[in-house]
């Protein structure tokens, strides 16, 4: 009887769609994802009645039904870190702003409410209907998310006399709670909040306190809600919470029932299939930079569409020593269809006399677009523009507060889609930087590119303080080459996230032989990071620094002093300009 009812309902819906001219295969997955148990039956009947079922429907359906964790962002600096921890556990997740929450369908296995710099007591505090969320799937509130739960579900939150920030120790209340299963009593956690939960409400029970607050973790009592509800007033995602990964995994696997499906291999396989379906036999153009993002994007596209991919690698005259030739050779050995364009003279002409770093970035971005457009116009058969957009870029574009205040203009292919009138394809838009590298390894990307340090889009232009001249470029290329090669010789290159030399605008007095010199100062920069959002300066050995400094001063004409930058981000940025 149930199937007969479903069948009749489906036939009525199809008739309505046909009469309105809106049989839309993209709408079907949304319907089917709501009812996964009967989806297979509905697919067969849909095919029977409409005679228009195509493989594209199936692809959309499985995409809609892929299990995931939804992270609702209230503006916390740690939100991306929560997502990274979930992804590291091989579970797919997405970040959405609190004011743009999608429909909660059966593909969403659980919801995490992030922290926030706001207070739930503020008149304009970011709010969501927590009551409706907990009716759909398990929910975990983190810091602000926990306070929001208490504030809206019968408890109370008040201003704390002392801001609770830094390390604390968890005091467990019993040991039969899934979220804190196998978590060690008195383990270290990281607190970061100005308000504090005063009471948790009648539907909840306390499961942990700390040495500084009474309410560190609580959960909904059995039967209070259709699904498990937990809240913690600390950050399990940060490094300082020593058993944070265990707590997150308890939520993912013990409470939400997720499985380990989000792997590099599964991403590559699914992405290649999706690209073939999306692009078909049409041609794609991609701007290569020599970095890992564009290279992995190229390999995914090459695997999907073969020779229909055309790659453009532009030499802007601001690359590292011999980089254009070596990278171009690497790409050709990888089987990519690559066209190299030497445009250094044009870039340098446009940059002549320009010292302002923001102006330099804008000029380089403009000239790159013009150069790329000129090359692309030679191939009118191209229908798609591929971009190496990664997930942090996507998150930033739909963040709680909109795009962040500009600290530096980012050099990319912004503006090209409108100019070239091409469709956009972004194979990496769901990946974090470390996931891009794992996908690259799965695809067999050569180690020299796979583990290459990030390099600024404007190249050495933002590592030369002041105006750009051919002499300064040559000087910095030589100094940088010595520095990077020594990192490799000492076995330090892969221990550092990013390194480079900076030609400062400072000149200093020195003595070389019996002569007084007044020459340039080079700064060496090396940082450790995961994604570049924060970074600590690298503690390189003194003997390495001594050897590198000595070689630069002796071998690079025009340099008589070398210094090492020991600033972290924040407050400094990784690049000097």
């Amino acid at each position: 009887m149930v199937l007969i009812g479903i069948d009749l309902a489906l036939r009525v819906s199809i008739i309505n769609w046909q009469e309105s001219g809106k049989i839309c295969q993209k709408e079907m997955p949304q319907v089917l994802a709501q009812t996964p148990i009967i989806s297979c039956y509905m697919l067969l009947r849909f095919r029977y009645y409409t005679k228009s079922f195509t493989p594209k429907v199936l692809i959309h359906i499985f995409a809609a039904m892929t299990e995931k964790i939804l992270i609702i962002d209230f503006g916390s600096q740690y939100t991306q870190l929560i997502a990274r921890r979930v992804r590291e556990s091989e579970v797919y997740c997405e970040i959405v702003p609190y004011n743009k929450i999608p429909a909660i369908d059966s593909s969403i296995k659980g919801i995490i409410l992030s922290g926030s710099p706001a207070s739930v007591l503020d008149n304009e505090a970011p709010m969501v209907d927590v009551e409706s969320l907990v009716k759909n799937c398990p929910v975990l509130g983190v810091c602000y998310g926990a306070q929001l739960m208490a504030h809206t579900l019968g408890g109370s939150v008040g201003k704390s006399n002392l801001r609770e920030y830094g390390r604390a120790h968890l005091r467990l209340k019993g040991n039969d709670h899934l979220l804190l299963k196998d978590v060690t009593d008195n383990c270290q956690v990281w607190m970061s909040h100005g308000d504090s939960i005063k009471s948790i409400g009648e539907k909840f029970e306390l499961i942990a306190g700390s040495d500084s607050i009474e309410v560190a973790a609580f959960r909904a009592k059995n039967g209070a809600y259709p699904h498990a509800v937990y809240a913690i007033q600390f950050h399990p995602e940060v490094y300082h919470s020593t058993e944070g990964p265990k707590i997150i995994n308890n939520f993912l696997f013990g409470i939400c029932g997720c499985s380990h499906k989000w792997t590099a291999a599964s991403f590559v396989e699914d992405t290649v299939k999706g690209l073939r379906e999306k692009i078909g036999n049409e041609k794609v153009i991609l701007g290569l930079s020599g970095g890992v993002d564009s290279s992995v994007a190229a390999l995914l596209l090459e695997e999907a569409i073969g020779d229909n991919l055309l790659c453009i690698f532009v030499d802007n005259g601001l690359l590292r020593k011999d980089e254009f030739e070596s990278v171009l050779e690497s790409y050709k050995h990888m089987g990519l269809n690559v066209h190299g364009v030497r445009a250094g003279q044009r870039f340098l002409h446009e940059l002549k006399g320009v010292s302002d770093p923001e102006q330099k970035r804008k000029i380089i971005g403009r000239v790159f677009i013009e150069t790329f457009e000129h090359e692309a116009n030679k191939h009118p058969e191209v229908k798609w523009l591929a971009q190496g957009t990664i997930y942090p870029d996507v998150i930033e574009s739909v963040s709680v507060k909109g795009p962040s205040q500009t600290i530096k203009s980012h050099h990319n292919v912004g503006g090209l889609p409108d100019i070239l009138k091409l469709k956009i394809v972004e194979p990496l838009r769901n990946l974090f930087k470390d996931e891009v590298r794992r996908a690259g390894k799965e695809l067999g990307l050569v180690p020299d590119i796979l583990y290459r340090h990030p390099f600024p889009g404007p190249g050495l232009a933002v590592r030369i303080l002041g105006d750009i001249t051919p002499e300064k470029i040559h000087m910095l290329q030589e100094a940088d080459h010595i520095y990077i090669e020594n990192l490799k010789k000492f076995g330090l290159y892969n221990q550092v996230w990013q390194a480079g030399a900076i030609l400062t605008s400072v000149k200093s007095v020195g003595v070389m032989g019996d002569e007084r010199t007044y020459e340039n100062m080079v700064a060496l920069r090396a940082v450790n990071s995961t994604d570049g959002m924060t970074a600590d300066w690298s503690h390189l050995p003194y003997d390495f620094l001594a050897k590198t400094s000595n070689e630069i001063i002796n071998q690079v004409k025009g340099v008589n002093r070398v210094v090492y930058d020991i600033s972290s981000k924040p407050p400094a940025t990784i690049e000097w300009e």
Side-chain angles (χ1 to χ4, degrees):
M1 291 298 293
V2 173
L3 292 180
I4 292 172
I6 294 169
D7 198 59
L8 289 172
L10 184 60
R11 292 186 69 179
V12 170
S13 297
I14 291 170
I15 291 169
N16 290 336
W17 282 336
Q18 289 172 331
E19 289 178 350
S20 64
K22 294 180 180 179
I23 294 182
C24 181
Q25 293 181 355
K26 289 183 180 179
E27 293 173 0
M28 281 300 296
Q30 298 173 5
V31 176
L32 297 174
Q34 300 289 341
T35 55
I37 296 175
I38 61 172
S39 293
C40 292
Y41 176 79
M42 290 179 71
L43 279 173
L44 292 171
R45 303 308 287 170
F46 184 78
R47 171 69 178 93
Y48 175 79
Y49 288 126
T50 67
K51 306 295 190 290
S52 63
F53 180 80
T54 70
K56 185 179 290 186
V57 175
L58 193 59
I59 289 172
H60 283 303
I61 288 165
F62 283 113
M65 293 176 65
T66 300
E67 67 174 34
K68 63 190 168 203
I69 295 293
L70 194 68
I71 301 171
I72 298 178
D73 180 24
F74 295 98
S76 170
Q77 62 178 323
Y78 296 131
T79 302
Q80 287 196 37
L81 196 51
I82 296 174
R84 292 177 57 79
R85 296 292 176 258
V86 173
R87 298 277 189 92
E88 286 169 2
S89 295
E90 299 181 340
V91 175
Y92 181 66
C93 65
E94 293 179 359
I95 297 173
V96 297
Y98 74 93
N99 53 359
K100 296 180 181 177
I101 301 174
I104 309 300
D105 60 38
S106 60
S107 70
I108 297 174
K109 304 287 285 185
I111 295 174
I112 298 177
L113 307 179
S114 84
S116 174
S119 165
V120 297
L121 303 176
D122 294 342
N123 291 331
E124 297 183 359
M127 292 283 174
V128 296
D129 186 355
V130 181
E131 190 88 46
S132 67
L133 294 178
V134 300
K135 292 177 181 178
N136 290 281
C137 60
V139 177
L140 171 64
V142 175
C143 202
Y144 178 89
Q147 294 173 358
L148 184 61
M149 281 184 178
H151 183 64
T152 59
L153 299 178
S156 63
V157 176
K159 291 290 183 183
S160 178
N161 294 328
L162 184 65
R163 179 172 172 82
E164 291 150 348
Y165 182 84
R167 294 171 176 83
H169 293 88
L170 209 58
R171 309 283 194 232
L172 304 184
K173 310 287 185 182
N175 56 6
D176 60 339
H177 313 299
L178 287 178
L179 186 69
L180 302 180
K181 181 182 178 182
D182 298 328
V183 172
T184 307
D185 190 28
N186 205 40
C187 68
Q188 179 179 287
V189 295
W190 184 260
M191 300 277 187
S192 179
H193 52 91
D195 297 340
S196 193
I197 296 172
K198 303 301 182 182
S199 64
I200 58 177
E202 295 180 356
K203 291 186 176 182
F204 296 91
E205 60 181 345
L206 189 66
I207 60 174
S210 77
D211 45 11
S212 58
I213 57 174
E214 181 181 352
V215 181
F218 59 96
R219 72 168 185 180
K221 295 176 181 177
N222 292 333
Y225 297 101
H227 301 278
V229 181
Y230 285 86
I232 50 179
Q233 208 173 189
F234 58 88
H235 289 277
E237 69 274 16
V238 303
Y239 173 78
H240 305 292
S241 291
T242 55
E243 300 196 30
K246 188 180 295 182
I247 294 171
I248 291 173
N249 284 342
N250 283 343
F251 180 70
L252 298 177
F253 305 112
I255 295 171
C256 297
C258 294
S259 53
H260 298 268
K261 292 182 178 179
W262 179 251
T263 63
S266 66
F267 168 79
V268 169
E269 182 181 356
D270 294 344
T271 301
V272 169
K273 289 179 181 177
L275 289 171
R276 284 175 182 154
E277 172 66 24
K278 184 174 187 177
I279 297 168
N281 292 321
E282 294 180 331
K283 294 188 180 295
V284 179
I285 193 168
L286 167 68
L288 288 171
S289 67
V292 65
D293 294 348
S294 64
S295 300
V296 173
L299 286 182
L300 284 167
L301 285 160
E302 197 275 335
E303 183 75 16
I305 62 173
D307 290 340
N308 279 345
L309 171 66
L310 170 64
C311 300
I312 305 293
F313 182 34
V314 176
D315 177 10
N316 58 11
L318 299 162
L319 302 175
R320 283 176 159 147
K321 182 180 179 180
D322 300 328
E323 185 172 26
F324 180 70
E325 294 80 7
S326 63
V327 170
L328 201 58
E329 193 64 25
S330 294
Y331 282 143
K332 289 180 178 178
H333 283 155
M334 289 157 54
L336 294 175
N337 179 19
V338 184
H339 176 53
V341 180
R342 290 191 179 274
Q345 291 301 318
R346 183 179 180 187
F347 279 86
L348 294 183
H349 174 75
E350 295 284 343
L351 288 166
K352 187 175 181 179
V354 178
S355 298
D356 180 74
E358 190 65 13
Q359 279 298 108
K360 287 194 285 188
R361 286 176 176 269
K362 288 180 178 179
I363 289 170
I364 292 167
R366 172 178 59 79
V367 177
F368 176 83
I369 288 175
E370 292 169 356
T371 304
F372 195 93
E373 180 188 9
H374 177 74
E375 294 300 320
N377 286 338
K378 297 177 183 178
H379 303 276
E381 72 280 7
V382 168
K383 303 299 181 186
W384 294 83
L385 172 68
Q387 297 190 139
T389 308
I390 61 176
Y391 197 45
D393 304 323
V394 177
I395 297 168
E396 177 70 9
S397 67
V398 293
S399 66
V400 170
K401 298 180 180 179
S404 300
Q405 180 181 359
T406 299
I407 296 174
K408 298 175 181 176
S409 293
H410 291 276
H411 166 68
N412 50 36
V413 292
L416 272 174
D418 294 333
I419 292 171
L420 299 177
K421 308 299 182 185
L422 297 177
K423 295 177 283 188
I424 300 298
V425 59
E426 298 171 316
L428 306 177
R429 65 178 285 112
N430 289 327
L431 297 190
F432 286 103
K433 190 76 173 185
D434 56 320
E435 293 176 312
V436 173
R437 281 202 167 92
R438 288 200 288 272
K441 186 176 182 180
E442 182 71 23
L443 287 160
L445 182 60
V446 293
D448 282 351
I449 295 180
L450 180 63
Y451 299 111
R452 174 170 297 197
H453 290 175
F455 188 65
L460 298 180
V462 293
R463 292 183 178 177
I464 297 173
L465 308 191
D467 65 326
I468 311 295
T469 67
E471 294 75 23
K472 289 181 180 179
I473 294 172
H474 176 73
M475 196 183 307
L476 183 54
Q477 283 178 332
E478 295 298 324
D480 182 78
H481 181 71
I482 292 170
Y483 181 32
I484 298 301
E485 288 304 304
N486 277 344
L487 282 171
K488 293 176 180 177
K489 290 176 185 176
F490 275 70
L492 298 170
Y493 185 83
N494 289 334
Q495 297 179 29
V496 172
W497 191 75
Q498 183 173 350
I502 297 95
L503 182 62
T504 74
S505 55
V506 174
K507 287 191 173 183
S508 67
V509 174
V511 178
M512 300 184 76
D514 294 327
E515 296 182 0
R516 175 186 181 275
T517 61
Y518 185 62
E519 294 180 330
N520 296 282
M521 181 174 75
V522 165
L524 304 180
R525 181 77 157 136
V527 297
N528 291 332
S529 181
T530 301
D531 50 22
M533 296 178 64
T534 61
D536 292 324
W537 62 276
S538 302
H539 294 241
L540 299 179
Y542 289 156
D543 58 340
F544 163 80
L545 292 172
K547 177 178 171 60
T548 302
S549 172
N550 186 60
E551 288 184 4
I552 290 174
I553 291 171
N554 284 322
Q555 297 177 28
V556 182
K557 186 177 180 180
V559 177
N560 70 352
R561 189 177 299 271
V562 174
V563 298
Y564 185 57
D565 183 350
I566 59 169
S567 308
S568 293
K569 176 187 179 180
T573 54
I574 296 175
E575 299 294 342
W576 281 37
E577 286 193 346

